[in-house]
Amino acid sequence: MSFFGKKEAAADSGRLQAAGPETEIKIILVKRRTRLEELVVRYNTIQQAQFFVERLGADFSDYVQEDRLYHTALHRASETLASIGRVQQVDREHVPNFIFGQKDMVVVLGQDGLVANTLKYVTEQPLIGVNPDPQRWDGALLPFTIAELPAAVRDLLRGKRPIREVRLAQAELNDGQVLVAVNDLFIGRRTHVSARYELRQSEAAEQQSSSGIIVSTGMGSTGWLRSVLAGAAGISSQAGGGAEQPLVPDPTFGWDSPYLYFSVREPYPSRSTSANLVFGRIDERNPLKIVSQMPEGGVIFSDGVEDDYLEFGSGIEASITVAERRGRLAV
């Protein structure tokens, strides 16, 4: 519930539902906490949150405005969707354990990260990303505004809305556990300090010590992987005394590309470790195999969410491949 604007948001509550929904379809509306709500959870009251923010010289009114706009958008989305089908709101933290019905429609009230984190838990359900505040968020994965939401949902119900397919990355352990990622996987130590493991692909294999391995999908190629490659390009140009050349894995690397790229962060060559197998492409015929040599703290997490992880301790082997399951985004 918003801390501000509750009366305005509730003034016309139920008005759109008076005639009942148009269909029996179930619409799952995924939402998140605002920054203001996160602060209140941490500091107990709005007043204490305001004191903390303003003591550091930040503008507390921006937090208030963001909260108000988000909850206004949430109310409008909920009321609009309720006129079309049966609506169930789900908070971000409950998404990993939520069971999506096969015929459900999923609407995510942005940002981009919320879309990505939701997409990996749905199966064949189409997902609509909605930008609650276009003046604040660019929203690469949020093609719709609140005003455009009703038409997008109805088009999707009639099969007239284009769907864009998204290929996911998958980490499968030799004990059967599986984790998928929409943007990227991280394999290493929880604290990002030196990780020890054996890396294998095709006929190549080597012992490595590094700050972790990043595996990127096409959708995630403009995120963490781009950052890693930009750093590598800058270091190479400065150390070599030449002009910086941008590094890109593949200009055709797109959301639906049936392959991934991996990059080893800060590999350290020594008497017992090498740094040759540090970048490459992963596809169906060339999975990446990683055997952990970390007695403690080894993890694999996805999409930057460190709480969503697999333990990766000594002796466990991970096979990194393109997931069979695919995401479906309305555009």
Side-chain angles (χ1 to χ4, degrees):
M1 181 179 296
S2 173
F3 294 107
F4 298 92
K6 288 188 288 185
K7 291 183 179 179
E8 293 86 342
D12 60 347
S13 179
R15 196 167 54 190
L16 294 175
Q17 303 178 55
E22 299 171 9
T23 71
E24 288 300 313
I25 192 169
K26 186 176 181 182
I27 304 173
I28 309 301
L29 178 57
V30 181
K31 61 180 182 176
R32 62 173 179 84
R33 289 176 178 169
T34 64
R35 291 183 301 162
L36 178 59
E37 289 175 307
E38 295 284 1
L39 283 172
V40 173
V41 169
R42 183 176 180 183
Y43 296 105
N44 299 317
T45 67
I46 296 175
Q47 291 76 18
Q48 288 178 325
Q50 181 176 3
F51 173 77
F52 172 80
V53 170
E54 293 182 344
R55 186 185 62 177
L56 297 177
D59 180 10
F60 186 72
S61 66
D62 186 57
Y63 290 76
V64 174
Q65 182 183 26
E66 179 192 347
D67 180 84
R68 179 183 291 115
L69 289 174
Y70 183 81
H71 284 281
T72 298
L74 178 63
H75 173 77
R76 289 182 60 193
S78 180
E79 292 295 308
T80 298
L81 294 174
S83 70
I84 300 173
R86 297 178 294 119
V87 180
Q88 180 176 354
Q89 294 189 18
V90 178
D91 291 319
R92 176 179 189 160
E93 56 265 34
H94 299 312
V95 168
N97 298 315
F98 187 81
I99 299 175
F100 293 91
Q102 187 175 3
K103 295 183 179 181
D104 291 348
M105 183 181 293
V106 183
V107 175
V108 176
L109 195 61
Q111 304 148 273
D112 281 345
L114 184 57
V115 174
N117 287 325
T118 302
L119 196 62
K120 64 186 178 185
Y121 295 108
V122 300
T123 51
E124 294 301 314
Q125 300 89 344
L127 189 150
I128 297 176
V130 181
N131 193 333
D133 189 356
Q135 298 301 316
R136 184 181 298 271
W137 313 117
D138 292 334
L141 305 183
L142 307 169
F144 304 104
T145 64
I146 291 294
E148 296 166 336
L149 178 58
V153 171
R154 292 187 175 102
D155 284 350
L156 200 57
L157 288 172
R158 300 186 189 106
K160 296 182 178 181
R161 173 63 55 180
I163 299 292
R164 191 168 181 184
E165 197 169 79
V166 179
R167 300 302 297 265
L168 312 180
Q170 174 178 293
E172 182 173 5
L173 305 187
N174 54 357
D175 63 3
Q177 295 186 80
V178 175
L179 181 68
V180 297
V182 174
N183 289 321
D184 40 53
L185 291 165
F186 171 82
I187 302 101
R189 293 282 290 275
R190 182 186 296 276
T191 54
H192 297 256
V193 297
S194 294
R196 289 292 300 267
Y197 52 87
E198 181 185 59
L199 193 65
R200 299 198 303 264
Q201 189 178 43
S202 300
E203 302 301 318
E206 66 182 34
Q207 300 290 321
Q208 289 189 351
S209 175
S210 75
S211 60
I213 304 167
I214 304 300
V215 176
S216 176
T217 66
M219 177 176 279
S221 62
T222 57
W224 206 344
L225 180 63
R226 182 178 182 180
S227 175
V228 170
L229 293 179
I235 292 171
S236 177
S237 66
Q238 293 297 319
E244 180 175 339
Q245 298 295 324
L247 297 179
V248 292
D250 180 348
T252 64
F253 193 27
W255 289 8
D256 60 349
S257 295
Y259 53 89
L260 315 166
Y261 278 96
F262 76 90
S263 180
V264 178
R265 300 195 315 169
E266 303 170 316
Y268 184 76
S270 68
R271 291 182 180 180
S272 58
T273 59
S274 303
N276 299 308
L277 187 60
V278 296
F279 182 82
R281 179 165 153 167
I282 302 169
D283 55 35
E284 184 179 354
R285 292 183 297 177
N286 297 285
L288 188 68
K289 305 284 187 179
I290 310 167
V291 180
S292 175
Q293 297 171 357
M294 295 171 279
E296 61 181 6
V299 295
I300 300 175
F301 65 78
S302 64
D303 300 322
V305 183
E306 297 191 20
D307 291 335
D308 185 11
Y309 69 95
L310 300 177
E311 292 187 1
F312 193 47
S314 294
I316 297 178
E317 179 177 312
S319 178
I320 311 298
T321 59
V322 180
E324 293 186 8
R325 181 163 65 81
R326 306 177 187 190
R328 302 176 67 224
L329 275 176
V331 294

